[in-house]
């Protein structure tokens, strides 16, 4: 496999300082070498550089529209280029608003892609349902075709074309939804495997049901958007919005191993590592879990 690694030091989609250092923390933990050691051909594109705009007033409560909208465009173009070069796009975050760009870029390069969103949160608030105005909790709302009529015009977001249908998305690990998100998930019929389903069916059955729902013939390129706060805070505390009762490292690795085994994994986002949060031990554990997920995405098997 060929993997194109894109660092996205984004933080304006949320309010905790430090998540922009996520890519650096993952690199310092040797993520590139760990992938190379798997026999993967790694192309490291370094970190994207975003011009900082200070004149960026909120619109309808949505914070940093200009910085985020312009960054997402750069991310989209880069991810598209990497995938068109026949490389799997591994994007290291950075906050989850970066997925506006990665999913947009993936859809521009692959007609028929589907999405597995692993997260404690649904990240599908519209600007009008968001309780915080933080775009990392709205990322999907700009991309889902069925939500188009609910999304107000946001400056610097006009270029974003909704590019995925609700039926092409599967959530795994949810355990903290806002009221607006619950309405959307239910009424749009998005496949949703919360921690309740993980406990009820086990991670293997959840994965099988997810693939049955969004990729029944196993022929669609898969986008895995992995928020480290999907994992239990005991092993992933260095993140901005931790929620107790999350996935174990084993469950996270299992998801990655199974998606890797399809041979259809085409883009991976690894987001919300914030090395400034938590103790040094918590940070090291969070980064370790994230790199193990990445290794499993690109061929590392626990069976050897
Ligand atoms: N849903 C939240 C959190 C988004 C997290 C984004 B991420 O990329 O990290 O998944 C708000 C969550 N919730 C609001 C009410 C509070 O009491 C608890 C947090 C929001 O701000 O939209
Ligand atoms: Mn989250
Ligand atoms: Mn998220
Ligand atoms: Mn988060």
């Amino acid at each position: 496999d060929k993997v194109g690694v894109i660092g996205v030091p984004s933080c304006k989609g949320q309010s905790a300082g430090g998540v922009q250092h996520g890519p650096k923390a993952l690199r310092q933990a040797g993520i590139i070498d760990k992938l190379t050691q798997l026999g993967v051909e790694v192309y490291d594109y370094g970190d994207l550089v975003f011009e900082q705009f200070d004149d960026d007033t909120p619109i309808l409560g949505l914070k940093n529209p200009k910085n985020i909208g312009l960054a997402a465009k750069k991310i989209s173009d880069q991810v598209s280029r990497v995938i068109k070069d026949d490389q799997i796009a591994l994007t290291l975050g950075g906050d989850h608003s970066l997925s506006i760009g990665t999913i947009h870029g993936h859809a521009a390069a692959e007609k028929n892609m589907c999405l597995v969103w692993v997260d404690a949160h649904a990240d599908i608030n519209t600007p009008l349902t968001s309780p915080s105005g933080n775009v990392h909790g709205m990322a999907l709302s700009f991309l889902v075709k069925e939500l188009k009529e609910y999304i107000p015009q946001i400056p610097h977001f006009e270029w974003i074309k909704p590019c995925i249908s609700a039926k092409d998305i599967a959530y795994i690990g949810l355990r903290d939804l806002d009221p607006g998100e619950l309405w959307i998930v239910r009424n749009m019929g998005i496949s949703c495997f919360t921690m309740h389903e993980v406990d009820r069916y086990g991670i293997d059955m959840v994965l099988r049901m997810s693939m049955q729902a969004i990729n029944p013939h196993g022929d669609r390129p898969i986008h895995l958007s992995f928020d480290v706060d999907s994992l239990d805070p005991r092993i992933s505390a260095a993140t901005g919005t931790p929620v107790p009762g999350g996935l174990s490292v084993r469950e996270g690795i299992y998801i990655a191993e199974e998606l890797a085994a399809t041979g259809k994994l085409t883009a991976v986002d690894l987001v919300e590592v914030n090395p400034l949060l938590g103790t040094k031990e918590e940070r090291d554990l969070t980064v370790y879990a994230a790199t193990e997920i990445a290794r499993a995405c690109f061929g590392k098997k626990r069976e050897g």
Side-chain angles (χ1 to χ4, degrees), residues 7-18:
V8 174
S10 65
C11 66
K12 298 193 186 290
Q14 50 85 68
S15 44

Side-chain angles (χ1 to χ4, degrees), residues 96 119 121 123 136 227-229 239-242 271-272:
H96 221 160
D119 202 320
H121 312 92
D123 297 2
H136 72 160
D227 185 330
V228 296
D229 71 28
T239 188
T241 48
V271 302
E272 298 276 356

